[in-house]
């Protein structure tokens, strides 16, 4: 790991200025202040679980997964960076935080977001009411630092110390906001490689923070997001690795929505070579993340703080490389894009645990607040705390059975000159005219995980009013859409449950998906999207 150091004196001075002191108010809201746990959240960018994304992270799996609990059914509320990160911070589904894509117009780090949502994020609650000293380093939201939203001078509420990356993931030649002041970095590995910079700033925070307050630390790495720039010592790793050829690799999705049906099967040789190369590069960037995790765990251990610290490791969304002949991206409803790694270690979590109960990224904020002793029912969060699961105090009979996934597709107003036959409304297109997104790639899904059902049900806001349904037990690779063959009663119930979730807020999002067998519901997917006035126009210039 490079040195990447700057003045430790200025760092520690800044911490002394920024750290919030204990108050009687914080103790009253959060309960007893003595020895409250510390919390660390390590968030990766585009890390999949379905294609072996954890394979390069051997130290992470040992130090967090083996030392605690791994969730095998962890999902995101939206398979795109900014809406997903907004869900993590707010504990809300996209239809409640209103961040729908990675653009400023899509509410990504906009002034509206800053006014309406930032004051109620879980870090803001930890700092304002809980007396936690809070530290952020890395990628925040994709448009953070945009001149139209306050530039890098804007420091989001809730952070004692702020080291935010301007805009999207990079590894070199980027700008950081250090407590509101721009700090430019170049391309010298020893000083500028972002994953290492984040690691070293994190270690300095742990060294110089106050010992009289609990802390929350969020480290948000660029890896394994493009441009997939590995550290020099890892650039020759995995040279013989290829993207996995799972059963849904380079298979035509003939029974899926239009965007999947337009993909060319088999893929061109150039697309296959490109995705295999990207797969290797992604894994190489993760080796530095593995080093980062190891350095933080060792630092906590050396300071005698590890046993009183919860460490979360997860991702903002999954990824695909060749599934259903889509070269690479996220943005789709399928397991490879919506399912993510989630591992947690900490006090009262027994090692080597695995849970199959469904959890989502909207649950991270409520769980962290619960750890800190804050009553989640006092918030407007849609998620629920899974701390009882980690402590072995809850089972499937008393836990929710389903999770909502929402995505608003994006498309250009004009046709791609290289692909005129596709017409307007598509985006993220490859040279062979395979497009990864479109304005009518707009959908909502209910993902059900229960002893009696392991299903995914999705509806599209398009002219077809397309429906996709998958039996995940019989068809884990989602090869067969059973929407036209499944029992009508199941369609009616899933349609009804999806409408309930898409209009839920707070407590109503946490109700279990239980149905009265004596009640029949009308099956009408056209009802789904008509009531959402917050949605933007379908066609947007990129």
């Amino acid at each position: 790991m490079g040195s990447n150091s700057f003045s430790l004196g200025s760092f520690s001075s800044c911490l002394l200025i920024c750290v919030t002191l204990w108050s009687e108010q914080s103790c009253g809201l959060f309960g007893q202040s003595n020895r409250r746990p510390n919390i660390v959240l390590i968030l990766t960018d585009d890390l999949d679980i379905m294609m072996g994304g954890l394979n390069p992270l051997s130290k992470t799996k040992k130090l967090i997964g083996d030392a605690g609990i791994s969730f095998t059914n962890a999902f995101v509320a939206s398979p795109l960076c900014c809406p997903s990160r907004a869900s993590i911070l707010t504990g809300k589904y996209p239809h409640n935080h209103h961040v729908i894509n990675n653009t400023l117009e899509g509410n990504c780090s906009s002034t509206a977001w800053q006014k309406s949502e930032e004051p109620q994020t879980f870090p803001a609650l930890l700092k304002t009411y809980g007396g936690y000293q809070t530290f952020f380093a890395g990628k925040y939201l994709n448009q953070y630092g945009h001149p139209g939203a306050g530039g890098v001078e804007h420091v989001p509420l809730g952070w004692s110390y702020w080291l935010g990356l301007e805009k999207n993931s990079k590894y070199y030649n980027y700008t950081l906001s250090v407590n509101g002041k721009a700090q430019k970095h170049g391309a010298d590995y020893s000083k500028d490689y972002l994953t290492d910079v984040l690691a070293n700033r994190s270690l300095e925070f742990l060294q110089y923070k106050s010992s009289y307050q609990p802390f929350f630390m969020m480290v948000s790495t660029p890896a394994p997001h493009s441009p997939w720039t590995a550290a020099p010592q890892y650039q020759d790793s995995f040279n013989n690795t290829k993207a996995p050829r799972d059963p849904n690799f380079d298979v035509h999705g003939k029974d899926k929505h239009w965007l999947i049906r337009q993909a060319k099967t088999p893929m061109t040789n150039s697309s296959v070579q490109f995705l295999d190369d990207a797969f290797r590069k992604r894994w190489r960037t993760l080796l530095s993340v593995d080093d980062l995790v190891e350095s933080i765990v060792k630092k906590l251990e050396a300071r005698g703080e590890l046993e009183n610290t919860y460490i979360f490791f997860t991702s903002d969304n999954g990824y695909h490389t060749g599934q259903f002949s889509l070269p690479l991206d996220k943005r789709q409803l399928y397991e490879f894009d919506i399912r993510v790694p989630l591992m947690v270690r900490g006090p009262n979590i027994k090692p080597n645990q695995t849970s199959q109960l469904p959890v989502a990224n909207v649950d991270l904020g409520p769980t962290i607040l619960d750890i800190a002793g804050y009553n989640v029912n006092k918030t407007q969060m849609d998620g629920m705390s899974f701390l009882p699961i980690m402590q072995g105090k809850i089972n499937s009979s008393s836990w929710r059975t389903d999770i909502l996934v929402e995505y608003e597709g994006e498309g250009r107003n004009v046709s791609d000159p290289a692909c005129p036959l596709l017409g307007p409304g598509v985006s993220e297109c490859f040279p062979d005219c395979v497009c990864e997104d479109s304005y009518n790639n707009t959908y909502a899904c209910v993902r059900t995980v229960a002893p009696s059902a392991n299903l995914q049900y999705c509806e599209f806001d398009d002219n077809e009013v397309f429906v996709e349904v998958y039996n995940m037990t019989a068809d884990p690779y989602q090869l067969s859409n059973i929407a036209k063959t499944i029992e009508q009663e199941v369609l009616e119930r899933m349609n009804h449950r999806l409408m309930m979730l898409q209009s839920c807020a707070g407590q109503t999002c946490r109700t279990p998906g239980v149905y009265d067998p004596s009640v029949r519901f009308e099956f009408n997917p056209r009802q789904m999207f008509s009531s959402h006035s917050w949605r933007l126009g379908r066609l947007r210039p990129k």
Side-chain angles (χ1 to χ4, degrees):
M1 195 180 295
S3 62
N4 307 331
S5 61
F6 73 112
S7 171
L8 297 184
S10 64
F11 185 93
S12 56
S13 297
C14 177
L15 286 177
L16 289 172
I17 294 170
C18 294
V19 162
T20 306
L21 298 178
W22 285 111
S23 68
E24 292 180 5
Q25 180 186 32
S26 70
C27 293
L29 283 171
F30 274 73
Q32 292 297 319
S33 61
N34 187 36
R35 293 291 294 167
R36 281 185 295 154
N38 308 307
I39 306 162
V40 175
L41 171 60
I42 299 170
L43 179 66
T44 53
D45 195 349
D46 288 359
L47 177 61
D48 67 277
I49 186 70
M50 299 297 291
M51 299 180 301
L54 288 179
N55 287 2
L57 296 161
S58 57
K59 292 181 284 192
T60 300
K61 288 187 291 184
K62 178 181 177 182
L63 294 170
I64 302 180
D66 294 351
I69 187 169
S70 297
F71 289 88
T72 59
N73 285 308
F75 299 95
V76 294
S78 188
L80 187 64
C81 299
C82 205
S84 178
R85 290 164 181 265
S87 287
I88 290 171
L89 291 163
T90 64
K92 296 179 181 179
Y93 284 120
H95 70 264
N96 286 327
H97 63 57
H98 300 172
V99 177
I100 60 172
N101 58 42
N102 290 342
T103 68
L104 204 62
E105 297 77 16
N107 204 29
C108 181
S109 204
S110 66
T111 53
W113 154 269
Q114 293 168 16
K115 291 177 182 178
S116 65
E117 301 300 329
E118 278 185 352
Q120 300 302 318
T121 61
F122 77 85
L125 295 176
L126 286 175
K127 181 176 184 289
T128 303
Y129 299 112
Y132 270 71
Q133 51 194 322
T134 56
F135 168 90
F136 182 89
K139 176 178 171 179
Y140 179 59
L141 301 175
N142 295 58
Q143 295 301 324
Y144 172 74
H146 193 289
V152 296
E153 293 76 21
H154 170 69
V155 176
L157 289 173
W159 301 103
S160 310
Y161 184 79
W162 175 257
L163 193 83
L165 174 67
E166 181 189 37
K167 297 189 177 177
N168 206 358
S169 281
K170 291 184 178 180
Y171 299 82
Y172 294 111
N173 300 308
Y174 54 85
T175 297
L176 295 174
S177 169
V178 181
N179 298 316
K181 295 184 178 180
Q183 182 185 89
K184 294 188 179 297
H185 284 257
D188 183 338
Y189 170 71
S190 66
K191 296 185 294 185
D192 301 314
Y193 189 68
L194 183 55
T195 306
D196 289 359
V197 170
L198 302 182
N200 289 320
R201 294 299 81 77
S202 300
L203 300 183
E204 289 168 358
F205 169 75
L206 293 174
Q207 181 68 33
Y208 291 99
K209 65 178 176 57
S210 166
S211 298
Y212 299 100
Q213 299 168 254
F215 68 84
F216 169 69
M217 183 166 73
M218 183 171 177
V219 185
S220 183
T221 73
H225 195 285
S226 61
W228 314 306
T229 309
Q233 67 270 30
Y234 296 135
Q235 286 178 352
D236 292 325
S237 302
F238 308 119
N239 279 340
N240 297 319
T241 301
K242 292 183 177 181
R245 270 49 171 176
D246 288 336
N248 53 13
F249 180 84
D250 205 9
V251 170
H252 189 253
K254 57 184 181 299
D255 58 2
K256 292 170 172 51
H257 63 284
W258 170 83
L259 187 63
I260 306 300
R261 298 198 301 266
Q262 60 86 34
K264 293 178 174 62
T265 307
M267 289 181 287
T268 61
N269 289 338
S270 59
S271 285
V272 174
Q273 291 172 4
F274 181 75
L275 70 87
D276 277 337
D277 185 54
F279 190 89
R280 286 187 286 271
K281 289 178 178 178
R282 282 164 50 81
W283 274 24
R284 290 167 184 155
T285 66
L286 288 170
L287 295 174
S288 293
V289 176
D290 211 29
D291 292 340
L292 175 149
V293 171
E294 180 185 42
S295 67
I296 290 175
V297 173
K298 284 187 173 181
K299 185 69 169 181
L300 289 167
E301 187 173 31
R303 290 182 56 84
E305 295 178 307
L306 183 59
E307 296 307 310
N308 193 41
T309 302
Y310 287 87
I311 306 177
F312 293 73
F313 181 91
T314 190
S315 175
D316 58 357
N317 48 256
Y319 209 69
H320 59 257
T321 49
Q323 284 65 38
F324 301 125
S325 300
L326 298 175
L328 55 85
D329 196 47
K330 46 262 183 159
R331 307 170 207 260
Q332 296 301 323
L333 59 92
Y334 307 106
E335 294 284 281
F336 39 75
D337 285 357
I338 67 170
R339 189 190 288 259
V340 291
L342 175 59
M343 301 181 288
V344 192
R345 68 171 292 167
N348 300 315
I349 299 178
K350 295 179 181 178
N352 296 305
Q353 286 193 82
T354 300
S355 175
Q356 296 180 346
L357 295 179
V359 296
N361 59 354
V362 293
D363 301 328
L364 287 169
T367 303
I368 290 170
L369 290 176
D370 192 12
I371 289 170
Y374 191 84
N375 185 352
V376 179
N377 290 326
K378 293 182 178 179
T379 73
Q380 297 178 326
M381 294 183 174
D382 303 331
M384 52 198 294
S385 170
F386 54 80
L387 179 60
I389 298 176
M390 298 193 292
Q391 295 179 336
K393 297 179 180 179
I394 201 167
N395 56 39
S396 59
S397 64
S398 52
W399 187 251
R400 66 135 92 85
T401 57
D402 44 27
I403 287 166
L404 176 68
V405 179
E406 303 174 288
Y407 180 69
E408 168 112 357
E410 293 184 86
R412 289 189 173 91
N413 283 317
V414 296
S415 298
D416 187 330
C419 307
L421 296 179
L422 292 175
V426 295
S427 62
E428 311 297 327
C429 298
F430 280 79
D432 48 4
C433 296
V434 175
C435 300
E436 295 276 0
D437 204 5
S438 66
Y439 75 92
N440 58 1
N441 182 41
T442 295
Y443 57 81
C445 304
V446 57
R447 181 69 175 87
T448 299
V449 181
S452 59
N454 187 12
L455 294 171
Q456 185 181 32
Y457 174 92
C458 302
E459 296 177 7
F460 282 81
D461 187 13
D462 60 11
N463 292 334
E464 293 181 278
V465 196
F466 202 76
V467 175
E468 295 191 32
V469 185
Y470 298 96
N471 180 340
M472 301 305 302
T473 300
D475 181 22
Y477 293 98
Q478 297 169 289
L479 298 172
S480 300
N481 176 11
I482 57 174
K484 295 181 178 179
T485 59
I486 198 170
E487 297 88 341
Q488 183 71 11
E489 183 180 355
V490 175
L491 287 176
E492 291 168 356
R493 291 183 177 183
M494 298 297 280
N495 172 228
H496 178 72
R497 180 60 178 160
L498 185 52
M499 286 192 289
M500 288 176 60
L501 283 172
Q502 263 235 313
S503 59
C504 75
Q507 186 69 39
T508 59
C509 297
R510 306 175 211 153
T511 58
V514 178
Y515 307 95
D516 183 346
S518 65
V519 178
R520 292 299 297 267
F521 305 101
E522 179 188 6
F523 175 60
N524 185 0
R526 292 187 183 275
Q527 295 178 358
M528 259 289 296
F529 294 94
S530 60
S531 63
H532 290 281
S533 59
W534 56 269
R535 304 172 72 81
L536 300 181
R538 290 289 176 262
L539 292 174
R540 273 182 228 96
K542 292 283 284 184

